[in-house]
RNA sequence: GGAGAGAUGGCUGAGCGGUUGAAAGCGCCUGACUCGAAAUCAGGUAGAGGGUUUGCGCCCUCUCGUGGGUUCAAAUCCCACUCUCUCCGCCA
Protein backbone atom coordinates (compact mmCIF):
# COMPACT_ATOMS: atom_id res chain seq x y z
CA UNK A 1 0.00 0.00 0.00
CA UNK A 2 0.90 3.62 -0.34
CA UNK A 3 2.08 5.85 2.45
CA UNK A 4 -1.16 7.31 3.88
CA UNK A 5 0.64 10.61 4.42
CA UNK A 6 1.45 10.88 0.74
CA UNK A 7 -2.25 10.54 -0.07
CA UNK A 8 -3.19 13.15 2.52
CA UNK A 9 -0.54 15.62 1.46
CA UNK A 10 -0.69 15.20 -2.31
CA UNK A 11 -4.07 13.73 -3.21
CA UNK A 12 -4.07 15.24 -6.70
CA UNK A 13 -0.65 13.86 -7.46
CA UNK A 14 -1.66 10.38 -6.30
CA UNK A 15 -4.87 10.51 -8.33
CA UNK A 16 -2.94 11.48 -11.43
CA UNK A 17 -0.45 8.69 -10.85
CA UNK A 18 -2.96 5.91 -10.32
CA UNK A 19 -4.95 7.07 -13.34
CA UNK A 20 -1.87 6.33 -15.40
CA UNK A 21 -2.43 2.77 -14.26
CA UNK A 22 -6.08 2.93 -15.27
CA UNK A 23 -7.22 2.89 -11.63
CA UNK A 24 -10.25 4.77 -10.36
CA UNK A 25 -9.18 8.12 -8.83
CA UNK A 26 -12.35 8.29 -6.72
CA UNK A 27 -10.65 5.76 -4.44
CA UNK A 28 -8.56 8.66 -3.19
CA UNK A 29 -11.58 10.81 -2.38
CA UNK A 30 -13.17 7.96 -0.50
CA UNK A 31 -9.97 7.42 1.41
CA UNK A 32 -9.75 11.06 2.44
CA UNK A 33 -13.36 11.08 3.58
CA UNK A 34 -13.00 8.02 5.75
CA UNK A 35 -9.66 9.26 7.02
CA UNK A 36 -11.19 12.47 8.38
CA UNK A 37 -14.11 10.70 10.05
CA UNK A 38 -11.80 8.15 11.52
CA UNK A 39 -9.48 10.77 12.97
CA UNK A 40 -12.32 12.68 14.60
CA UNK A 41 -13.62 9.57 16.24
CA UNK A 42 -10.16 8.54 17.39
CA UNK A 43 -9.69 11.90 19.01
CA UNK A 44 -12.99 11.78 20.83
CA UNK A 45 -12.54 8.19 21.95
CA UNK A 46 -9.02 8.82 23.15
CA UNK A 47 -10.30 11.63 25.36
CA UNK A 48 -12.95 9.39 26.85
CA UNK A 49 -10.42 6.65 27.46
CA UNK A 50 -8.17 9.13 29.18
CA UNK A 51 -11.00 10.08 31.49
CA UNK A 52 -11.78 6.47 32.28
CA UNK A 53 -8.18 5.73 33.01
CA UNK A 54 -7.69 8.67 35.35
CA UNK A 55 -10.90 8.06 37.26
CA UNK A 56 -10.20 4.35 37.60
CA UNK A 57 -6.85 5.12 39.15
CA UNK A 58 -8.58 7.56 41.44
CA UNK A 59 -10.95 4.79 42.56
CA UNK A 60 -8.01 2.58 43.30
CA UNK A 61 -6.50 5.22 45.58
CA UNK A 62 -9.76 5.97 47.36
CA UNK A 63 -10.39 2.29 47.87
CA UNK A 64 -7.02 1.99 49.55
CA UNK A 65 -8.16 4.69 51.95
CA UNK A 66 -11.40 2.77 52.46
CA UNK A 67 -13.54 5.60 51.11
CA UNK A 68 -16.85 5.36 49.31
CA UNK A 69 -16.51 5.15 45.55
CA UNK A 70 -19.96 4.10 44.38
CA UNK A 71 -20.70 7.46 42.75
CA UNK A 72 -17.41 7.51 40.88
CA UNK A 73 -17.96 3.93 39.78
CA UNK A 74 -21.29 4.79 38.25
CA UNK A 75 -19.75 7.68 36.34
CA UNK A 76 -16.97 5.57 34.94
CA UNK A 77 -19.42 2.89 33.96
CA UNK A 78 -21.28 5.43 31.91
CA UNK A 79 -18.10 6.58 30.22
CA UNK A 80 -17.16 2.99 29.53
CA UNK A 81 -20.39 2.31 27.69
CA UNK A 82 -19.89 5.40 25.57
CA UNK A 83 -16.39 4.20 24.76
CA UNK A 84 -17.72 0.83 23.71
CA UNK A 85 -20.19 2.50 21.38
CA UNK A 86 -17.42 4.59 19.84
CA UNK A 87 -15.17 1.61 19.46
CA UNK A 88 -17.77 -0.24 17.47
CA UNK A 89 -18.13 2.66 15.09
CA UNK A 90 -14.40 3.17 14.98
CA UNK A 91 -13.69 -0.42 14.01
CA UNK A 92 -16.03 0.00 11.05
CA UNK A 93 -14.12 3.09 9.93
CA UNK A 94 -10.80 1.37 10.47
CA UNK A 95 -11.91 -1.55 8.39
CA UNK A 96 -13.02 0.65 5.54
CA UNK A 97 -9.89 2.76 5.81
CA UNK A 98 -7.76 -0.33 5.50
CA UNK A 99 -9.82 -1.85 2.74
CA UNK A 100 -9.55 1.27 0.57
CA UNK A 101 -5.84 1.52 1.24
CA UNK A 102 -5.40 -2.09 0.15
CA UNK A 103 -7.21 -1.40 -3.11
CA UNK A 104 -5.13 1.59 -4.18
CA UNK A 105 -2.42 0.45 -6.60
CA UNK A 106 1.23 1.35 -6.37
CA UNK A 107 2.26 4.49 -8.23
CA UNK A 108 4.65 4.24 -11.17
CA UNK A 109 8.29 5.21 -10.96
CA UNK A 110 8.92 8.57 -12.72
CA UNK A 111 11.10 6.79 -15.28
CA UNK A 112 8.17 4.69 -16.53
CA UNK A 113 6.62 6.02 -19.73
CA UNK A 114 2.91 6.63 -20.02
CA UNK A 115 0.88 4.11 -21.97
CA UNK A 116 -2.65 2.84 -21.90
CA UNK A 117 -2.02 -0.89 -22.20
CA UNK A 118 0.40 -3.58 -23.32
CA UNK A 119 0.41 -2.25 -26.88
CA UNK A 120 2.45 0.70 -25.66
CA UNK A 121 5.23 -1.27 -23.99
CA UNK A 122 8.56 -0.69 -25.61
CA UNK A 123 11.37 -3.01 -26.61
CA UNK A 124 14.52 -1.66 -25.02
CA UNK A 125 16.97 -4.40 -25.94
CA UNK A 126 17.39 -7.41 -28.14
CA UNK A 127 19.93 -10.22 -27.71
CA UNK A 128 21.05 -13.26 -29.67
CA UNK A 129 20.87 -14.40 -33.27
CA UNK A 130 17.59 -15.76 -34.44
CA UNK A 131 18.31 -19.09 -36.10
CA UNK A 132 17.92 -19.37 -39.84
CA UNK A 133 15.83 -22.54 -40.32
CA UNK A 134 16.17 -24.49 -43.59
CA UNK A 135 12.77 -26.03 -42.87
CA UNK A 136 9.46 -24.81 -41.50
CA UNK A 137 9.89 -24.69 -37.67
CA UNK A 138 7.10 -26.48 -35.87
CA UNK A 139 5.27 -25.17 -32.81
CA UNK A 140 6.44 -26.71 -29.55
CA UNK A 141 3.26 -28.70 -28.97
CA UNK A 142 3.71 -30.55 -32.25
CA UNK A 143 7.34 -31.31 -31.55
CA UNK A 144 6.48 -32.51 -28.05
CA UNK A 145 3.57 -34.68 -29.10
CA UNK A 146 5.61 -36.24 -31.89
CA UNK A 147 8.32 -37.11 -29.37
CA UNK A 148 5.65 -38.20 -26.88
CA UNK A 149 7.16 -36.08 -24.11
CA UNK A 150 4.05 -33.95 -23.49
CA UNK A 151 0.55 -35.45 -23.27
CA UNK A 152 -2.22 -32.88 -23.52
CA UNK A 153 -5.08 -35.34 -23.87
CA UNK A 154 -4.32 -37.17 -20.69
CA UNK A 155 -3.68 -33.92 -18.86
CA UNK A 156 -7.22 -32.92 -19.78
CA UNK A 157 -8.50 -36.33 -18.75
CA UNK A 158 -6.96 -36.13 -15.31
CA UNK A 159 -7.61 -32.48 -14.55
CA UNK A 160 -9.21 -30.55 -17.41
CA UNK A 161 -8.34 -28.01 -20.05
CA UNK A 162 -4.99 -26.22 -19.74
CA UNK A 163 -3.35 -29.09 -17.87
CA UNK A 164 -0.73 -31.35 -19.39
CA UNK A 165 1.43 -34.31 -18.50
CA UNK A 166 5.20 -34.42 -19.01
CA UNK A 167 6.57 -37.83 -19.90
CA UNK A 168 9.96 -39.48 -20.24
CA UNK A 169 12.68 -37.05 -21.25
CA UNK A 170 10.12 -34.24 -21.19
CA UNK A 171 9.66 -34.78 -17.47
CA UNK A 172 13.40 -35.08 -17.06
CA UNK A 173 14.09 -31.91 -19.02
CA UNK A 174 11.66 -30.02 -16.78
CA UNK A 175 13.56 -31.24 -13.72
CA UNK A 176 16.87 -30.45 -15.37
CA UNK A 177 15.78 -26.88 -16.07
CA UNK A 178 14.67 -26.31 -12.50
CA UNK A 179 17.97 -27.59 -11.09
CA UNK A 180 20.03 -25.74 -13.64
CA UNK A 181 18.32 -22.42 -12.93
CA UNK A 182 18.49 -22.72 -9.16
CA UNK A 183 22.13 -23.81 -9.24
CA UNK A 184 23.00 -20.88 -11.46
CA UNK A 185 21.32 -18.32 -9.22
CA UNK A 186 22.82 -19.79 -6.08
CA UNK A 187 26.36 -20.35 -7.28
CA UNK A 188 26.85 -17.47 -9.68
CA UNK A 189 24.38 -14.81 -8.53
CA UNK A 190 24.55 -15.32 -4.77
CA UNK A 191 20.99 -16.26 -3.88
CA UNK A 192 19.91 -18.52 -1.02
CA UNK A 193 17.65 -21.37 -2.01
CA UNK A 194 14.19 -21.58 -0.47
CA UNK A 195 11.59 -24.31 -0.79
CA UNK A 196 8.36 -22.82 0.55
CA UNK A 197 4.85 -24.23 1.10
CA UNK A 198 2.53 -24.23 -1.91
CA UNK A 199 -0.60 -23.53 0.15
CA UNK A 200 -0.77 -20.02 1.45
CA UNK A 201 -2.91 -18.17 3.95
CA UNK A 202 -4.92 -15.02 3.42
CA UNK A 203 -2.58 -12.69 5.30
CA UNK A 204 0.29 -13.63 3.02
CA UNK A 205 -1.80 -13.11 -0.10
CA UNK A 206 -2.67 -9.63 1.15
CA UNK A 207 0.96 -8.98 1.99
CA UNK A 208 2.17 -9.24 -1.58
CA UNK A 209 -0.96 -7.71 -3.16
CA UNK A 210 -2.84 -10.66 -4.66
CA UNK A 211 -5.70 -9.93 -2.26
CA UNK A 212 -8.18 -8.39 -1.82
CA UNK A 213 -8.43 -7.41 -5.49
CA UNK A 214 -7.59 -10.58 -7.38
CA UNK A 215 -9.26 -13.36 -5.44
CA UNK A 216 -10.90 -14.63 -8.65
CA UNK A 217 -7.52 -15.44 -10.21
CA UNK A 218 -6.53 -17.83 -7.44
CA UNK A 219 -7.36 -21.40 -6.57
CA UNK A 220 -8.73 -21.61 -3.06
CA UNK A 221 -9.39 -24.42 -0.61
CA UNK A 222 -12.67 -23.65 1.13
CA UNK A 223 -12.25 -25.86 4.16
CA UNK A 224 -8.99 -24.38 5.29
CA UNK A 225 -9.15 -20.95 3.65
CA UNK A 226 -5.82 -21.49 1.92
CA UNK A 227 -4.78 -20.40 -1.56
CA UNK A 228 -2.69 -22.35 -4.02
CA UNK A 229 0.58 -20.58 -4.62
CA UNK A 230 0.24 -18.44 -7.78
CA UNK A 231 3.94 -17.53 -7.75
CA UNK A 232 6.83 -18.05 -5.33
CA UNK A 233 6.83 -14.28 -4.89
CA UNK A 234 4.05 -14.77 -2.34
CA UNK A 235 5.51 -17.31 0.08
CA UNK A 236 9.07 -16.03 -0.27
CA UNK A 237 8.30 -12.34 0.22
CA UNK A 238 6.10 -13.23 3.18
CA UNK A 239 8.99 -15.06 4.78
CA UNK A 240 9.77 -11.77 6.49
CA UNK A 241 6.24 -10.47 7.02
CA UNK A 242 5.89 -8.64 10.35
CA UNK A 243 9.61 -8.73 10.90
CA UNK A 244 12.22 -6.11 11.64
CA UNK A 245 15.40 -6.95 9.81
CA UNK A 246 18.79 -5.55 10.62
CA UNK A 247 20.50 -3.24 8.16
CA UNK A 248 23.42 -5.68 8.20
CA UNK A 249 21.15 -8.42 6.82
CA UNK A 250 20.41 -6.46 3.65
CA UNK A 251 20.31 -7.14 0.82
CA UNK A 252 18.60 -10.51 1.22
CA UNK A 253 18.44 -12.56 -1.98
CA UNK A 254 16.31 -15.69 -2.22
CA UNK A 255 15.63 -18.04 -5.09
CA UNK A 256 12.82 -20.58 -4.99
CA UNK A 257 11.29 -23.18 -7.19
CA UNK A 258 7.55 -23.63 -6.85
CA UNK A 259 4.70 -24.96 -8.88
CA UNK A 260 2.39 -22.06 -9.72
CA UNK A 261 -1.39 -22.31 -9.94
CA UNK A 262 -3.56 -19.84 -11.78
CA UNK A 263 -7.21 -19.96 -12.73
CA UNK A 264 -6.59 -17.78 -15.82
CA UNK A 265 -10.12 -16.51 -15.29
CA UNK A 266 -9.91 -13.72 -17.85
CA UNK A 267 -7.82 -15.57 -20.43
CA UNK A 268 -10.47 -17.57 -22.31
CA UNK A 269 -9.37 -18.08 -25.90
CA UNK A 270 -5.82 -16.78 -25.40
CA UNK A 271 -2.85 -19.07 -26.01
CA UNK A 272 -5.09 -22.10 -26.03
CA UNK A 273 -2.57 -24.43 -27.61
CA UNK A 274 0.63 -25.66 -26.08
CA UNK A 275 2.08 -24.97 -22.68
CA UNK A 276 2.27 -21.19 -22.78
CA UNK A 277 -0.83 -20.50 -20.70
CA UNK A 278 -1.81 -23.29 -18.31
CA UNK A 279 -3.31 -23.69 -14.85
CA UNK A 280 -0.24 -25.28 -13.31
CA UNK A 281 3.34 -24.52 -14.24
CA UNK A 282 6.77 -24.52 -12.68
CA UNK A 283 8.74 -21.40 -12.05
CA UNK A 284 12.03 -20.41 -10.48
CA UNK A 285 11.65 -17.05 -8.81
CA UNK A 286 14.17 -14.59 -7.43
CA UNK A 287 13.21 -12.28 -4.57
CA UNK A 288 15.20 -9.46 -3.02
CA UNK A 289 14.78 -7.39 0.15
CA UNK A 290 16.90 -4.27 -0.11
CA UNK A 291 17.51 -0.79 1.27
CA UNK A 292 15.33 1.81 -0.48
CA UNK A 293 18.20 3.84 -1.88
CA UNK A 294 19.62 0.75 -3.57
CA UNK A 295 16.51 -0.77 -5.07
CA UNK A 296 16.92 0.53 -8.61
CA UNK A 297 20.43 -0.86 -8.76
CA UNK A 298 19.04 -4.19 -7.56
CA UNK A 299 16.40 -4.19 -10.28
CA UNK A 300 19.15 -3.96 -12.87
CA UNK A 301 21.00 -6.86 -11.27
CA UNK A 302 17.87 -8.96 -10.96
CA UNK A 303 17.04 -8.37 -14.57
CA UNK A 304 20.52 -9.33 -15.59
CA UNK A 305 20.22 -12.54 -13.53
CA UNK A 306 17.10 -13.48 -15.48
CA UNK A 307 18.69 -12.59 -18.80
CA UNK A 308 21.73 -14.62 -17.87
CA UNK A 309 19.65 -17.81 -17.95
CA UNK A 310 18.56 -17.00 -21.49
CA UNK A 311 22.08 -16.11 -22.59
CA UNK A 312 23.57 -19.28 -21.16
CA UNK A 313 20.88 -21.35 -22.89
CA UNK A 314 21.55 -19.30 -26.00
CA UNK A 315 17.90 -18.40 -26.47
CA UNK A 316 17.34 -15.16 -28.39
CA UNK A 317 15.35 -12.67 -26.36
CA UNK A 318 14.22 -9.13 -26.12
CA UNK A 319 13.57 -6.92 -23.14
CA UNK A 320 10.32 -5.07 -22.85
CA UNK A 321 9.78 -2.09 -20.62
CA UNK A 322 6.23 -1.91 -19.35
CA UNK A 323 4.26 1.30 -19.77
CA UNK A 324 2.24 2.68 -16.85
CA UNK A 325 -0.93 0.94 -18.02
CA UNK A 326 0.68 -2.51 -18.01
CA UNK A 327 2.59 -2.36 -14.73
CA UNK A 328 -0.01 -4.27 -12.81
CA UNK A 329 -1.33 -3.45 -9.37
CA UNK A 330 1.83 -3.73 -7.29
CA UNK A 331 4.82 -2.77 -9.42
CA UNK A 332 6.43 0.67 -9.61
CA UNK A 333 8.55 -0.38 -12.55
CA UNK A 334 8.70 -3.59 -14.53
CA UNK A 335 10.70 -5.22 -17.31
CA UNK A 336 9.71 -8.42 -19.09
CA UNK A 337 12.31 -10.55 -20.82
CA UNK A 338 10.65 -12.21 -23.82
CA UNK A 339 12.01 -15.26 -25.57
CA UNK A 340 11.93 -15.80 -29.31
CA UNK A 341 9.49 -18.45 -30.58
CA UNK A 342 10.37 -19.50 -34.15
CA UNK A 343 7.02 -21.12 -34.97
CA UNK A 344 5.21 -17.83 -34.48
CA UNK A 345 8.18 -15.60 -35.29
CA UNK A 346 7.28 -13.78 -32.09
CA UNK A 347 8.71 -12.96 -28.70
CA UNK A 348 6.84 -14.44 -25.73
CA UNK A 349 7.07 -13.34 -22.09
CA UNK A 350 9.26 -15.73 -20.13
CA UNK A 351 10.05 -13.63 -17.08
CA UNK A 352 8.88 -10.53 -15.33
CA UNK A 353 11.14 -8.42 -13.14
CA UNK A 354 9.67 -5.75 -10.89
CA UNK A 355 10.57 -3.27 -8.24
CA UNK A 356 7.69 -2.80 -5.80
CA UNK A 357 9.58 -0.27 -3.72
CA UNK A 358 7.89 -0.08 -0.30
CA UNK A 359 4.43 -1.05 -1.58
CA UNK A 360 4.58 -4.70 -0.51
CA UNK A 361 6.73 -3.93 2.51
CA UNK A 362 4.02 -1.65 3.88
CA UNK A 363 1.33 -4.26 3.33
CA UNK A 364 3.41 -7.08 4.75
CA UNK A 365 5.01 -4.86 7.40
CA UNK A 366 8.60 -5.68 6.54
CA UNK A 367 11.03 -3.19 8.01
CA UNK A 368 14.67 -2.89 8.88
CA UNK A 369 16.50 -1.12 11.65
CA UNK A 370 19.19 1.17 10.35
CA UNK A 371 22.53 1.53 12.10
CA UNK A 372 21.32 4.73 13.80
CA UNK A 373 18.37 2.86 15.31
CA UNK A 374 15.72 4.27 12.99
CA UNK A 375 13.10 2.05 11.32
CA UNK A 376 12.36 1.95 7.61
CA UNK A 377 10.37 -0.14 5.22
CA UNK A 378 12.51 -2.29 2.95
CA UNK A 379 12.06 -2.34 -0.79
CA UNK A 380 11.08 -5.66 -2.35
CA UNK A 381 11.79 -6.91 -5.84
CA UNK A 382 11.21 -10.09 -7.68
CA UNK A 383 11.64 -11.66 -11.06
CA UNK A 384 11.22 -15.01 -12.70
CA UNK A 385 14.43 -16.73 -13.48
CA UNK A 386 12.67 -18.22 -15.45
CA UNK A 387 9.21 -19.64 -16.11
CA UNK A 388 10.18 -23.27 -16.61
CA UNK A 389 7.38 -24.44 -18.91
CA UNK A 390 7.91 -21.57 -21.28
CA UNK A 391 11.65 -22.19 -21.25
CA UNK A 392 10.93 -25.78 -22.22
CA UNK A 393 8.71 -24.56 -25.07
CA UNK A 394 11.43 -22.18 -26.22
CA UNK A 395 14.06 -24.90 -26.18
CA UNK A 396 11.86 -27.28 -28.13
CA UNK A 397 11.25 -24.68 -30.78
CA UNK A 398 14.69 -23.11 -31.02
CA UNK A 399 16.61 -26.37 -30.82
CA UNK A 400 14.39 -28.49 -33.06
CA UNK A 401 15.85 -30.38 -36.02
CA UNK A 402 14.32 -31.27 -39.34
CA UNK A 403 13.91 -34.92 -38.31
CA UNK A 404 11.77 -33.94 -35.32
CA UNK A 405 14.49 -34.42 -32.70
CA UNK A 406 15.57 -31.71 -30.29
CA UNK A 407 19.15 -30.89 -29.38
CA UNK A 408 19.71 -30.39 -25.67
CA UNK A 409 21.47 -27.07 -24.97
CA UNK A 410 25.01 -27.75 -23.86
CA UNK A 411 24.72 -26.36 -20.30
CA UNK A 412 21.76 -28.65 -19.59
CA UNK A 413 23.47 -31.86 -20.60
CA UNK A 414 25.09 -32.50 -17.24
CA UNK A 415 21.57 -32.46 -15.79
CA UNK A 416 20.37 -34.89 -18.45
CA UNK A 417 22.91 -37.62 -17.87
CA UNK A 418 25.11 -36.32 -20.66
CA UNK A 419 22.38 -36.72 -23.25
CA UNK A 420 22.81 -34.52 -26.35
CA UNK A 421 19.54 -34.96 -28.12
CA UNK A 422 15.93 -36.00 -27.56
CA UNK A 423 14.70 -38.31 -30.31
CA UNK A 424 11.61 -40.35 -30.86
CA UNK A 425 13.64 -43.43 -29.98
CA UNK A 426 15.15 -42.34 -26.66
CA UNK A 427 12.39 -40.09 -25.39
C1' G B 1 -7.70 -36.97 15.86
C1' G B 2 -6.97 -37.34 21.74
C1' A B 3 -4.36 -35.42 26.41
C1' G B 4 -1.29 -31.73 28.48
C1' A B 5 2.00 -27.22 28.53
C1' G B 6 2.84 -22.60 26.48
C1' A B 7 2.66 -17.66 23.34
C1' U B 8 5.35 -10.92 26.98
C1' G B 9 9.93 -5.62 23.62
C1' G B 10 15.43 -6.73 18.34
C1' C B 11 16.44 -11.56 21.41
C1' U B 12 16.22 -14.49 26.27
C1' G B 13 12.96 -14.03 30.25
C1' A B 14 10.15 -12.10 35.09
C1' G B 15 5.38 -10.39 36.29
C1' C B 16 -0.50 -13.54 37.18
C1' G B 17 -6.51 -7.50 39.13
C1' G B 18 -4.81 -0.91 40.63
C1' U B 19 1.96 4.53 39.48
C1' U B 20 3.69 -2.47 35.00
C1' G B 21 4.41 -0.27 28.62
C1' A B 22 6.25 -3.96 31.53
C1' A B 23 12.07 -6.38 36.23
C1' A B 24 16.69 -8.64 34.83
C1' G B 25 20.10 -10.20 31.14
C1' C B 26 21.80 -10.06 26.02
C1' G B 27 22.11 -7.00 21.81
C1' C B 28 22.32 -2.04 19.95
C1' C B 29 23.37 3.47 20.50
C1' U B 30 25.85 7.67 23.16
C1' G B 31 29.52 9.31 26.60
C1' A B 32 33.97 8.47 29.94
C1' C B 33 38.68 5.77 29.98
C1' U B 34 42.32 4.47 25.47
C1' C B 35 46.91 6.38 20.36
C1' G B 36 42.95 2.98 18.83
C1' A B 37 40.32 -1.37 20.20
C1' A B 38 38.81 -4.82 23.95
C1' A B 39 37.43 -4.83 28.97
C1' U B 40 35.17 -1.61 32.56
C1' C B 41 31.94 2.40 34.18
C1' A B 42 27.64 5.96 33.30
C1' G B 43 23.36 6.96 30.46
C1' G B 44 19.90 5.75 26.61
C1' U B 45 17.05 2.06 23.73
C1' A B 46 9.38 -1.26 21.82
C1' G B 47 5.73 -0.35 18.10
C1' A B 48 1.30 1.89 16.15
C1' G B 49 -2.44 5.77 16.03
C1' G B 50 -3.77 10.82 17.30
C1' G B 51 -2.79 15.98 19.05
C1' U B 52 0.70 20.05 19.29
C1' U B 53 5.29 22.60 17.57
C1' U B 54 8.98 26.12 12.12
C1' G B 55 11.98 22.33 14.44
C1' C B 56 14.42 19.59 18.90
C1' G B 57 10.44 18.04 21.49
C1' C B 58 6.12 17.58 24.45
C1' C B 59 1.11 15.46 25.48
C1' C B 60 -2.76 11.64 24.90
C1' U B 61 -4.53 6.73 23.45
C1' C B 62 -3.85 1.72 22.03
C1' U B 63 -0.84 -2.74 21.86
C1' C B 64 1.98 -8.43 26.47
C1' G B 65 -0.54 -14.48 20.02
C1' U B 66 -5.88 -12.99 17.78
C1' G B 67 -11.00 -11.91 18.82
C1' G B 68 -14.76 -11.47 22.46
C1' G B 69 -16.37 -11.21 27.80
C1' U B 70 -16.16 -9.97 33.30
C1' U B 71 -14.70 -5.42 36.18
C1' C B 72 -14.74 1.29 38.21
C1' A B 73 -9.90 -0.87 36.51
C1' A B 74 -7.03 -6.63 32.71
C1' A B 75 -0.38 -8.69 30.46
C1' U B 76 -2.82 -10.61 34.94
C1' C B 77 -9.69 -13.58 35.61
C1' C B 78 -13.34 -16.19 31.90
C1' C B 79 -14.63 -17.97 26.72
C1' A B 80 -13.44 -18.96 21.58
C1' C B 81 -9.83 -19.23 17.87
C1' U B 82 -4.69 -19.47 15.85
C1' C B 83 0.13 -21.07 16.39
C1' U B 84 4.32 -23.66 19.08
C1' C B 85 6.10 -27.68 22.18
C1' U B 86 5.52 -32.72 24.75
C1' C B 87 3.03 -37.49 24.92
C1' C B 88 -0.51 -40.94 22.43
C1' G B 89 -2.96 -42.38 17.80
C1' C B 90 -2.81 -42.32 12.40
C1' C B 91 0.26 -41.75 8.23
C1' A B 92 4.02 -40.46 3.00
Amino acid sequence: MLDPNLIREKPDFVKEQIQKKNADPSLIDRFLEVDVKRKELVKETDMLRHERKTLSQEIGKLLAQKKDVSELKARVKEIASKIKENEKMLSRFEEEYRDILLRIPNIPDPSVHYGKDESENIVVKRWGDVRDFDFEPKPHWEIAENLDIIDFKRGAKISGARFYVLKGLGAKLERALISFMIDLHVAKHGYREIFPPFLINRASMIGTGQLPKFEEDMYHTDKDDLFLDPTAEVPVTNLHRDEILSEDDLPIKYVAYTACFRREAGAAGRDTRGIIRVHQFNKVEMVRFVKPEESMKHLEELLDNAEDVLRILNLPYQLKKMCTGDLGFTAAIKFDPEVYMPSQDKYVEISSCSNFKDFQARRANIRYRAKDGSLHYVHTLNGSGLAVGRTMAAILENYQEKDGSVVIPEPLREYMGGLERITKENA
Side-chain angles (χ1 to χ4, degrees), chain A residues 289-335:
Chain A
F289 302 80
V290 307
K291 288 192 263 183
E293 63 271 24
E294 295 176 351
S295 72
M296 281 309 192
K297 179 195 88 182
H298 280 286
L299 179 62
E300 276 176 43
E301 276 184 34
L302 183 78
L303 197 52
D304 192 64
N305 298 155
E307 291 176 55
D308 206 25
V309 181
L310 290 159
R311 288 192 297 257
I312 292 171
L313 293 175
N314 197 26
L315 292 168
Y317 69 89
Q318 67 179 22
L319 203 59
K320 228 175 217 175
K321 181 173 187 182
M322 303 292 111
C323 68
T324 56
D326 202 25
L327 281 177
F329 183 72
T330 46
I333 175 168
K334 175 156 90 173
F335 292 88

Side-chain angles (χ1 to χ4, degrees), chain A residues 120-135:
Chain A
E120 297 187 60
N121 296 334
I122 49 180
V123 176
V124 293
K125 174 181 183 177
R126 211 162 254 181
W127 181 92
D129 296 321
V130 168
R131 188 174 146 200
D132 194 12
F133 287 89
D134 58 358
F135 59 95

Side-chain angles (χ1 to χ4, degrees), chain A residues 220-235:
Chain A
H220 178 250
T221 65
D222 285 343
K223 260 188 189 157
D224 300 296
D225 195 24
L226 293 170
F227 295 84
L228 271 71
D229 167 38
T231 160
E233 160 189 353
V234 182

